[in-house]
Structures are given as C-alpha cells and as structure tokens.
Amino acid sequence: MQNSTKNPRVIAIILGGGKGTRLYPLTKERSKPAVPFGGKYRIVDIPISNCINSGYRKIYLLTQFNSASLHHHITNSYNFDNFSGGFVEILAAEQTLEHSGWFEGTADAVRKNLIHFKSQNPTHYIILSGDQLYRMNLKKFMDSHIESGADITIATTAVNRHDASGFGIMQIDSKNKITAFQEKPAPTLNIDDWKIPKAARGDLPPEKEYLASMGIYIFNADAMEEALDNSYTDFGKEIIPKSIKTKKVSSYIFDGYWEDIGTIRSFYEATLDLTTYNPAFNLYNAEEPIYTHMRNLPPSKINGAMIENSLTSEGCVITKATLKRTVIGVRSIIENGTEMNGVITMGADFYETDDEKAENAKKGIPNVGIGKNCKIATTIIDKDARIGDDCQINVSGKKYDDGDHGMFYSTDGIIVIRKGAVIPSGTII
C-alpha cells in the first residue's frame, strides 16, 4: 500500500486489556478502561480524548472482559455529528468462520479485527493502551513517524536503571532508530550499552538514562499487515522484537507525564495527585479537555464542610464533613460529622428516593453514600456503596494481608470497598 505522507488516513486502536487482575476488585464487574477516574471520568476517556484533541476521530476500542459497563459509557459519551465522519466503536471478541476463540493477546486482538479496520482504507494505525494516564499530542507523534521514514514508531519514556527492570527497554542509535530490544532486564544485568545516546537526550533528566516502551505504537498500514502475518499474540514481547530485525523501527521520546495506572497502588496515587496544588496531570486545560459522559447533574451542594486539597464532582451533597486529599465522585452523599483523608469515592449511579430510604431502613440497610460521624482514610470506595453511621475504615492501625476480606479488599495498605457493598453502622475495618 502506498502510504500517504501529506494527508494520512489514521485509525486509532485502543487496547481494552485483559481481565485486569492487578486492578481487582475495581475490575470485578467492569473492564479496566471502564474503571471510574478523577471523580467524573473513566480511564478510557484519557486515550480517547488524546485522539480527539489530536484530530483523530476514527477510534476503535478492543475489549472482551466485562464490557457491558464500557459499552454503556461509550454509547452515552461519544456521539459525533454526521459531517465529521468520526466514531468510537467497540469491537468485542467475536466468533467468525476464521476463528472462534478469545483474543489471546494484544497482537491477536488487532489481527482478528483487521477486516474491520481495512474498510476505512487507513494509511496508518496508532495503537494505544486503555489504562494509562498521560497527555500526548498524537499529531506530533505521527509527524515524527512520517518524517523519520520508519515503518513502525514506538513511543518511549526515559527511566532510571531501577525502573528499567520493569519495562521493555530499547537501544537506539543517534538518529533514534531502534537497534535492539530486551524485556525487563534483571537488576544485576549490565546494560550500560543501552544508555540513551547524547545526540538523542535533549533535556531529559540526567538520572534517566534508558528508554522504556510505553506500549504506544504507530504502524504504516502495510507494515502492520506484514507484522501480523504470523501466529504471534503479543506486540511488546513478540511483534516488536521481530519487527526490529526486519523493519525500520524508530523511537519517539515522550518527555511529558505518563503513568501506567494498572495497579491499585498506582491508580490510588495517580488519582490523589489530582488534589495537589500543581498536579502532574492537569484536568484544567481548556484547549485539551478530557471528554466524558455529560450527565446533566445539578451542582454539588455543600452544607457547611471543611474541604482541603480535594476534588468534588457534580451532583454531590456534603453536610458538615471534613475532607482532606479526597476525590469525591458524582452523586456522592456524605453526612454530618464524617472525616475523610486520602479517600477516593467513585460516587453513585442513582439517587435514592425517600420511599426507598425508608424501606431500606426497616431492613437495617444504610443509604447509598457515607453516613454520619465516619472516619475513613487511605481507602477507595467503589460506586453505589452503602456505609452506615459511626464506621471507621483504615484508621485503627490494624494491618490486613493483601486479598479478599469479605466486605472489603486490601492491597498494599489500601482498603477497597467493593461496588455496591453494604457496611453496617458501627463497623471498624
């Protein structure tokens, strides 16, 4: 295929990920891209917004696990006008005459959907991850790819030697051509020969001497088809190393903020960083907004609260509570006397009526939200949770082993209250 350099026809492919075990239990009933983030968004809004802000509006989202919530969000959020030709379309694993199984990996997922992509007659593909937090001008990425004359370009980020052991590491020459790749080099392995050449360093921090793959790629369309003409299932471990030997593969060094929020700890820290004075990820960029579902909710009502370094989403009712370093999701109800520090609440999908509250009270079931005089710290509260009065969560000093503890889940010192959980009044966790 002749690749267009002046007017590339670009298809964006967002990889929805697998079972999302590292984000469990947030992924118990939803896929990773559908996990709520920042009070009012979903993780998938990040890569989709990067595409839209860069002028790329033909977007496919590949997923196969717990996709109902994601389908609902995409359908309600991304409706382009008839004149733009844009779309966000979910492609879930499907049975056909050619294949009948699940997606076996990132490359396998793209391969099985090539028939859908080809109908758009693309010249280039951008492949993005569905569970990363970053802002990238994908147009600049594409321009760099075309200018380099590469078949494939990999977005890379500079890391120090300690962090290099957790990534696929690239070796490049002075012109940013990738000459070799190795997956997660052992901490004791000497990789001094893999340091970034001085000619390619620019203004990178001196301690960050190695290039890690971000799992973000641009392929020329013909290069994509050739790279997938095999049985390999994964881009990072198989397709990319093989392509480096047979294709011109370049590195695009990205020096902005980038965080893989694929674990509970990284998700928690990245979300709470939004509450700082100068967050690494800025939600308040009017020229590059983060798009999401427009819910038409009322403004939040604050009935005499002390709120410090926190985010409150729309539709909340907060009464005489104390909130520090806390992110409050949509429709959150927080009652009188409750104190929260380092807490992420994902809010609720609905408001309860007075009749529903009365009926639940007869059964001893708390209202949706957080009751009176609770003390909660270092906790993620998933959607539609019911926390009664006088509860204490993660403030007693008690340590829990990582794993499932019935009403809650513990990981790395963070308590996760499950979606729809009922925590009776007076509970101490």
Side-chain angles (χ1 to χ4, degrees):
M1 177 187 291
Q2 185 86 21
N3 284 309
S4 171
T5 58
K6 293 183 178 180
N7 297 297
R9 297 183 299 277
V10 180
I11 293 294
I13 303 169
I14 299 174
L15 302 173
K19 294 181 179 179
T21 53
R22 296 185 303 157
L23 265 180
Y24 187 88
L26 301 180
T27 51
K28 182 177 184 294
E29 299 178 23
R30 58 169 79 92
S31 61
K32 282 194 291 184
V35 171
F37 173 78
K40 62 178 289 183
Y41 307 99
R42 305 275 185 145
I43 293 176
V44 74
D45 293 327
I46 307 303
I48 291 177
S49 296
N50 280 326
C51 291
I52 294 173
N53 290 329
S54 301
Y56 300 135
R57 300 193 172 197
K58 294 184 177 181
I59 305 164
Y60 288 99
L61 178 60
L62 308 188
T63 186
Q64 66 182 353
F65 289 101
N66 286 334
S67 58
S69 177
L70 186 60
H71 275 266
H72 181 75
H73 176 71
I74 295 299
T75 300
N76 286 305
S77 303
Y78 299 100
N79 298 299
F80 295 90
D81 63 72
N82 294 328
F83 304 100
S84 70
F87 58 81
V88 180
E89 183 174 333
I90 292 179
L91 294 176
E94 61 181 354
Q95 289 188 339
T96 70
L97 295 176
E98 286 76 28
H99 52 79
S100 59
W102 289 109
F103 297 151
E104 300 298 330
T106 53
D108 185 60
V110 173
R111 180 188 298 112
K112 288 177 177 175
N113 284 288
L114 275 175
I115 187 173
H116 302 300
F117 307 146
K118 286 182 180 179
S119 66
Q120 299 295 327
N121 193 28
T123 59
H124 298 81
Y125 294 98
I126 294 180
I127 298 180
L128 307 168
S129 171
D131 60 356
Q132 297 174 349
L133 183 61
Y134 64 102
R135 282 187 186 275
M136 181 185 290
N137 186 325
L138 300 178
K139 177 69 166 55
K140 288 185 178 179
F141 185 20
M142 178 63 69
D143 290 345
S144 174
H145 167 78
I146 292 173
E147 184 179 349
S148 72
D151 301 300
I152 304 167
T153 299
I154 302 172
T156 57
T157 183
V159 296
N160 59 36
R161 178 62 187 90
H162 176 269
D163 292 339
S165 295
F167 293 94
I169 299 301
M170 307 290 167
Q171 186 180 56
I172 66 171
D173 63 18
S174 59
K175 295 184 179 180
N176 279 26
K177 180 182 177 183
I178 297 174
T179 56
F181 168 90
Q182 61 176 314
E183 179 74 13
K184 298 181 179 179
T188 56
L189 182 67
N190 187 336
I191 57 171
D192 288 347
D193 291 343
W194 292 65
K195 289 182 179 179
I196 305 169
K198 288 184 179 179
R201 286 199 57 84
D203 297 326
L204 296 173
E207 72 277 7
K208 295 186 175 182
E209 300 179 298
Y210 303 93
L211 285 180
S213 170
M214 298 168 63
I216 298 173
Y217 317 109
I218 290 178
F219 280 77
N220 292 347
D222 52 358
M224 169 80 87
E225 293 181 25
E226 291 177 26
L228 295 178
D229 188 18
N230 48 57
S231 59
Y232 294 132
T233 60
D234 191 81
F235 277 110
K237 296 178 182 178
E238 297 170 306
I239 297 295
I240 295 302
K242 176 178 178 292
S243 297
I244 288 171
K245 298 175 182 178
T246 59
K247 300 284 185 183
K248 182 178 180 181
V249 184
S250 290
S251 164
Y252 177 77
I253 302 176
F254 178 67
D255 60 0
Y257 172 79
W258 174 80
E259 183 67 43
D260 182 349
I261 49 177
T263 67
I264 291 294
R265 170 56 67 177
S266 61
F267 174 84
Y268 176 82
E269 292 180 349
T271 303
L272 282 194
D273 184 71
L274 299 174
T275 69
T276 61
Y277 280 101
N278 295 297
F281 187 81
N282 179 20
L283 294 174
Y284 301 91
N285 185 334
E287 295 182 357
E288 298 181 351
I290 303 300
Y291 299 97
T292 192
H293 175 34
M294 297 180 66
R295 299 174 178 87
N296 298 317
L297 289 171
S300 288
K301 185 178 182 181
I302 313 297
N303 297 317
M306 197 288 282
I307 303 176
E308 178 182 319
N309 292 99
S310 298
L311 300 181
T312 58
S313 304
E314 61 263 43
C316 300
V317 179
I318 302 171
T319 302
K320 296 182 180 178
T322 300
L323 311 179
K324 297 180 180 180
R325 293 181 62 248
T326 290
V327 176
I328 304 299
V330 294
R331 302 186 189 88
S332 289
I333 309 298
I334 302 173
E335 297 291 358
N336 188 14
T338 285
E339 300 176 11
M340 301 169 67
N341 190 349
V343 177
I344 300 167
T345 73
M346 294 182 174
D349 289 320
F350 57 92
Y351 291 116
E352 289 182 293
T353 66
D354 290 340
D355 288 343
E356 289 171 334
K357 292 178 182 179
E359 189 63 28
N360 285 328
K362 295 176 183 177
K363 303 173 185 177
I365 299 175
N367 298 335
V368 171
I370 302 167
K372 299 177 181 178
N373 301 316
C374 294
K375 297 183 186 298
I376 307 172
T378 320
T379 296
I380 300 173
I381 302 172
D382 206 340
K383 277 196 169 185
D384 303 331
R386 301 170 181 268
I387 298 176
D389 299 338
D390 303 305
C391 291
Q392 295 184 28
I393 302 175
N394 218 12
V395 295
S396 66
K398 184 176 180 179
K399 304 296 182 183
Y400 293 93
D401 293 335
D402 288 356
D404 194 344
H405 295 271
M407 289 189 296
F408 65 95
Y409 192 90
S410 176
T411 180
D412 200 15
I414 301 167
I415 297 297
V416 182
I417 304 298
R418 298 175 183 277
K419 183 179 180 181
V422 177
I423 309 297
S425 295
T427 299
I428 299 176
I429 297 174

